[in-house]
Amino acid sequence: MTGTAAPSQPRVRVGVQLQPQHAGYGQIRDAVLRAEDLGVDVIFNWDHFFPLYGDPDGRHFECWTMLGAWAEQTERVEIGALVTCNSYRNPELLADMARTVDHISGGRLILGIGAGWFQRDYDEYGYEFGTPGTRIADLAQAMPRIRARWAAMNPAPTRDIPVMIGGGGERKTLRIVAEHADVWHSFGDVETLRRKSGILDEHGAAVGRDTASLVTRSLGVDGQEPGEVGADLLAAGVGLVTLSTSGPDYDLGLVERWVRWRDAQG
């Protein structure tokens, strides 16, 4: 009997961040359906408590309760936060939340996580803002605790939950990426990505991980057309391109063009 070959993975995947601001939840739910129907690979939200753009007191919804709903609503796409703020939850609790959404989704969660930066979130919800240095140190301490909790849970996660770490700090953040991440998310142009990617690999060598092969490079490409930058991104080793869109309309026109470009790569 001749076996059926597994479907080939695309050279680059496409993610969309549906910013949970300035929209009713019905509009967000509809955008999730439209994004999955378009063929995106990953749908993200973000972990803030207030809008980042537009009316600062506009409509807004919480990250992880939303991810639980998305886990039931969707069938194919991976889901996650771009990114979770490490400061808002005890690491063991966050590990349990992620494990639970992993099971609800049938193994489609990506744990996106970062050190946090938006001071209003901290001030109004009673978290200590600290300094960039203390927040990054807290993230470094949280990562082994999260993985240890996953290893102790019953039931265990359905898979090794991929960890995406966001940020570009060359001395501290990229070191944490090298030690703990499966995906590194960054912003900037291709040349910046190349340079920081090289620094990431230097950290990887220092900690004994082959980050060139083990850590997927993710890059935000808002406002950029695939025909203009796509070839350079592929040459730079980008494995995930991400776009963002806000409520209430959640325009997916550019996302659709990136999906068509992805499919054309073979």
Side-chain angles (χ1 to χ4, degrees), residues 20-117:
Q21 60 178 6
H22 307 308
Y25 188 71
Q27 293 167 308
I28 297 172
R29 183 174 56 239
D30 175 70
V32 172
L33 288 173
R34 290 190 287 121
E36 185 168 45
D37 288 346
L38 277 180
V40 303
D41 299 290
V42 192
I43 303 176
F44 296 107
N45 58 10
W46 67 27
D47 193 14
H48 295 286
F49 305 131
F50 303 94
L52 298 185
Y53 314 110
D55 179 0
D57 295 314
R59 289 182 290 182
H60 197 278
F61 290 97
E62 194 274 330
C63 168
W64 276 92
T65 44
M66 182 179 296
L67 288 176
W70 289 6
E72 286 282 8
Q73 177 186 349
T74 57
E75 298 179 355
R76 175 191 56 80
V77 293
E78 290 188 292
I79 58 175
L82 186 58
V83 290
T84 290
C85 178
N86 173 67
S87 306
Y88 302 158
R89 302 164 190 90
N90 166 278
E92 283 77 14
L93 173 60
L94 180 60
D96 203 349
M97 293 164 61
R99 184 276 309 251
T100 300
V101 175
D102 166 69
H103 274 267
I104 295 170
S105 67
R108 293 182 289 115
L109 177 76
I110 296 172
L111 177 59
I113 191 167
W117 63 273

Side-chain angles (χ1 to χ4, degrees), residues 106-127:
R108 293 182 289 115
L109 177 76
I110 296 172
L111 177 59
I113 191 167
W117 63 273
F118 188 47
Q119 186 167 356
R120 185 184 180 192
D121 288 336
Y122 289 77
D123 290 347
E124 295 214 23
Y125 276 61
Y127 296 105

